[in-house]
Amino acid sequence: MTSSIDFHTHSIASDGQLSPTQLVRRASEKGVRVLALTDHDTTHGIEEAAITAKEIGVHLVPGIELSVTWNDQNFHMVGLGIDPLHPILASGIREQQELRLSRAREIGRRLNKNRIEGAFEGAALLAGNGMLTRTHFARYLVDQNRAATLQKAFDQFLKRGKPGYVPTRWAPLETGIQWVTAAGGIAVLAHPQRYKISTTRLKRLLTDFKTAGGQAIEVVCGNSSNDDVLKFSRHALDFGLLGSVGSDFHSPENRWIELGRLRPFPNGVSPVWVKLGIASNPSSPAH
Ligand code: AMP
Ligand code: MN
Ligand code: MN
Ligand code: MN
């Protein structure tokens, strides 16, 4: 299944492994015509992505993925169609970056107590100029043969309850929505199937999200099952939210997630791209 629209992707500006240019080129090769770059808490990759996109005829939607906190639980939100340099968004991003840095130092200290030396420095080196994330710690742990795979690095060291986990309070959900909206963007609840949350609580989250100005929810993600698509389409309709689609592509090394490899967009759900001024059909035949 191929979608010509992919609204959730990462580059080396955060924890992706391709440069913005490489990402846009690969997206085009995979049949993606409308692409959003949504790096974690940064818009640094967008300028380069936009230049390449223009060269090769891809429509680039400027985006971001923000970590936010709601009722002591962390969620991810995608902002689509943002002005990447808007001052309100930019100052919000700076706060998140400071939080990321102090969290990363604490992750390093905790791993050090578990006889894993140099993790902060190692992760920071891997992140380079990009936003520092737990993925970089996971890559460091794999490089150091402390974990066999990225997934195991998270499971053994970085997930909640594990030695390197540092509880973090990100910007409140409402604040994240305000930053995105101020920058002219649409706030989208990212990969809803990933959260450990009861249906009752999810409905409270969606109510608060909508009230605060959130407009869309990802109904098709790179790893969505058919049931996930049905379930979140239902929620989109019930809460009057638009539907978005995004693979959450990070790296060609992950064989399970590919740019544009997405289930068909569900009938009946209003697509977010119409609101972005894009009148295109995301389902194109696989090739
Ligand atoms: P951070 O925002 O620094 O907490 O890092 C979160 C990122 O880590 C996510 O965007 C994913 O790319 C990655 N991640 C989180 N959990 C896992 C997991 N269990 N396995 C692999 N990657 C994960
Ligand atoms: Mn990530
Ligand atoms: Mn995410
Ligand atoms: Mn993501």
Side-chain angles (χ1 to χ4, degrees), residues 89-109:
L89 179 63
S91 84
I93 289 172
R94 276 196 295 277
E95 287 174 29
Q96 298 276 98
Q97 187 158 21
E98 279 163 27
L99 271 173
R100 281 192 171 276
L101 200 59
S102 54
R103 178 186 70 151
R105 291 191 197 286
E106 183 59 23
I107 293 175
R109 272 193 287 277

Side-chain angles (χ1 to χ4, degrees), residues 8-10 15 38 40 65 76 78 191 194 248 250:
H8 188 149
T9 69
H10 296 273
D15 59 351
T38 57
H40 295 285
E65 181 172 16
H76 285 175
V78 160
H191 44 61
R194 287 240 285 270
D248 203 6
H250 284 73

